[in-house]
Amino acid sequence: MTFKEFMQENGYELQTTFWEDFSIADRFGLTAIQDTFNRAFEEWKEHYKYLTELILVLNHKIWQYHDTCPEFAALYNSLWEKADLYAVENLKGEELDYFYEVTD
């Protein structure tokens, strides 16, 4: 099952190309993953729905590489922690409610 299928099965319609962006970066290694995160996070951290989707993608990437590529999984985990902490500390009201509803 693809990420998109998994999300649709759970009632979530993708809004970004983050999954595809990171899947391309995976082919080029850790530096490309970090660069992709830096650009996506800086560009979209103020857009709560996109930030939420970025966090979902990072979480799924951790599990994608958990057994097969621990270096990727570790990087994705650290990026997930950064983005998740930012969301929890900066989203308020309905934005935070949305974040928790989608990521729960």
Side-chain angles (χ1 to χ4, degrees), residues 4 12 20 25 28 70 79 87 90 99 104:
K4 182 177 183 176
Y12 182 84
E20 292 84 359
F28 295 94
L79 300 174
N90 291 280
F99 171 76
D104 185 23

Side-chain angles (χ1 to χ4, degrees), residues 45-89:
K45 67 182 179 186
E46 302 301 324
H47 188 291
Y48 73 97
K49 289 185 178 182
Y50 291 1
L51 175 63
T52 299
E53 190 162 305
L54 176 61
I55 291 165
L56 287 172
V57 167
L58 296 171
N59 183 268
H60 281 266
K61 285 291 187 178
I62 294 166
W63 293 108
Q64 178 184 359
Y65 289 112
H66 182 262
D67 291 329
T68 60
C69 190
E71 306 85 25
F72 281 20
L75 176 56
Y76 276 118
N77 188 66
S78 69
L79 300 174
W80 173 83
E81 287 175 347
K82 177 180 179 176
D84 186 71
L85 181 62
Y86 179 88
V88 171
E89 290 181 346

Side-chain angles (χ1 to χ4, degrees), residues 8-50:
Q8 287 175 334
E9 186 176 286
N10 288 289
Y12 182 84
E13 189 68 35
L14 294 177
Q15 302 175 47
T16 72
T17 61
F18 291 148
W19 181 263
E20 292 84 359
D21 298 340
F22 282 101
S23 294
I24 292 167
D26 292 343
R27 297 179 190 151
F28 295 94
L30 297 171
T31 302
I33 294 168
Q34 181 70 58
D35 182 59
T36 300
F37 171 80
N38 291 345
R39 287 184 288 111
F41 185 70
E42 286 307 312
E43 180 77 22
W44 298 112
K45 67 182 179 186
E46 302 301 324
H47 188 291
Y48 73 97
K49 289 185 178 182
Y50 291 1

